[in-house]
Amino acid sequence: MNNKLKVLRAMRNWSQAELADRLDVSRQAVNAIETGKYDPSLPLAFKLARLFAMPIEEIFDDGFEG
Amino acid sequence: MASKDRMMVTEPQEPRAPGFIWPAAICFGAIFLAGILAGYSKAAAEAGKATLAPWAGPLIAATLGIAGLFFYFRRHADWFRALSRRRRRYWTALGLAAVIGGIVGVWASFDQPANRGAIEMAFTGSLSANFAIGASLFWVIGLLVSMIIYHRSIDDHEERAWLWAGLAGWYAFIFPAPVWWVLHRAGLAPPADAMLLFVLSMVANCVVYLWLKFR
């Protein structure tokens, strides 16, 4: 699943470690989400959405075009 | 005139993270002490004097080592408190597991005759009943406590890595074990080696975990 996490993080000038601290996850988790190797759980996706004040579907794109 | 130094604003400093030199020195000190006590016991036995109980030396050394580490890390309590709850739990679990592993490892090395090779010492040599019972208790109770803390601290990503790693470890056991068993019954293979199957399962578990966590 594609996502804009890297862009959103860069806009705030946060490192992966800083974002990980804000989400209370490991830096490896942030890296794995950014590189598309891991899709976060729903609670973590909501946490991201709250942190960036955006709807989940604006951060993540599952490629579906209905 | 105020000096330049006094005009400068002092930025609040982040608590310093503990280093590795002092903990390593404390661990080596504890091992050294355990060695001295083992040597004392051996010399006393040779002289026909009363010796320390087999568990006393490792226990004294481990207690002093743990106390030393406790006081060292207490000096860095601010750093520890500044961590998130998840990271505090994480480091507590890993620290506990390391201490238990260290105690069992040091005890194992002093439980055996000095002339044993590394392979014999680690895998094939006989062990005393005291060590076997003590190490089993350390393993079960220590692992239980540290794993409860650890699994409460890990995030979704690491949990997923462990779930797949656990499944890989399970497959690494259930594929070869029945094959080996039937081959042995047909006289085509030696008896199944439980320890070899255990190691195979652990290796599969470890490889998959590291791959999913750190790739």
Side-chain angles (χ1 to χ4, degrees):
Chain A
M1 190 178 290
N2 296 322
N3 65 75
K4 296 177 188 162
L5 203 58
K6 195 170 182 177
V7 176
L8 294 169
R9 179 172 64 78
M11 283 164 65
R12 285 153 183 83
N13 209 17
W14 291 341
S15 65
Q16 285 187 342
E18 277 178 283
L19 178 57
D21 277 348
R22 286 167 197 271
L23 295 168
D24 203 18
V25 298
S26 64
R27 192 197 59 75
Q28 289 89 2
V30 170
N31 183 56
I33 296 169
E34 280 188 3
T35 52
K37 290 171 183 161
Y38 162 65
D39 294 332
S41 65
L42 206 48
L44 184 53
F46 271 105
K47 219 171 178 179
L48 278 161
R50 274 195 297 273
L51 182 66
F52 292 116
M54 296 169 84
I56 289 176
E57 58 270 29
E58 280 190 29
I59 302 174
F60 295 95
D61 174 19
D62 66 351
F64 178 75
E65 293 183 17
Chain B
M1 193 176 88
S3 72
K4 194 177 174 185
D5 284 350
R6 288 178 65 191
M7 296 289 285
M8 285 172 70
V9 176
T10 308
E11 291 286 330
Q13 291 188 336
E14 294 241 330
R16 271 183 61 196
F20 287 98
I21 293 176
W22 272 105
I26 292 167
C27 290
F28 278 118
I31 292 168
F32 186 66
L33 178 65
I36 290 173
L37 294 172
Y40 165 79
S41 244
K42 195 175 176 185
E46 283 169 4
K49 294 179 183 172
T51 60
L52 292 170
W55 47 265
L59 189 66
I60 292 167
T63 305
L64 290 175
I66 290 168
L69 288 173
F70 171 77
F71 285 115
Y72 175 74
F73 285 110
R74 206 174 72 156
R75 280 185 59 200
H76 294 276
D78 289 344
W79 171 81
F80 191 71
R81 273 196 283 267
L83 298 176
S84 69
R85 189 184 295 178
R86 184 189 70 80
R87 289 179 75 188
R88 279 203 301 270
R89 282 201 195 118
Y90 194 84
W91 285 108
T92 303
L94 293 189
L96 186 62
V99 167
I100 289 164
I103 292 170
V104 173
V106 170
W107 191 0
S109 64
F110 289 117
D111 183 63
Q112 308 190 34
N115 55 355
R116 273 189 179 164
I119 297 290
E120 197 182 2
M121 190 181 278
F123 301 112
T124 57
S126 61
L127 299 166
S128 71
N130 279 324
F131 171 77
I133 294 167
S136 300
L137 288 174
F138 266 122
W139 175 255
V140 173
I141 297 169
L143 197 67
L144 184 70
V145 173
S146 62
M147 286 300 101
I148 288 171
I149 301 170
Y150 176 77
H151 282 287
R152 287 181 67 201
S153 77
I154 59 176
D155 56 29
D156 295 351
H157 177 243
E158 189 159 355
E159 187 177 66
R160 175 175 161 275
W162 275 125
L163 290 175
W164 281 109
L167 189 64
W170 169 243
Y171 283 151
F173 174 73
I174 63 159
F175 277 87
V179 172
W180 199 342
W181 183 59
V182 293
L183 288 177
H184 168 63
R185 288 185 65 186
L188 299 170
D193 185 332
M195 194 49 72
L196 199 58
L197 290 169
F198 172 73
V199 170
L200 186 66
S201 176
M202 286 294 103
V203 168
N205 180 281
C206 192
V207 167
V208 172
Y209 167 75
L210 293 173
W211 170 253
L212 291 177
K213 170 78 179 163
F214 295 106
R215 74 186 158 134

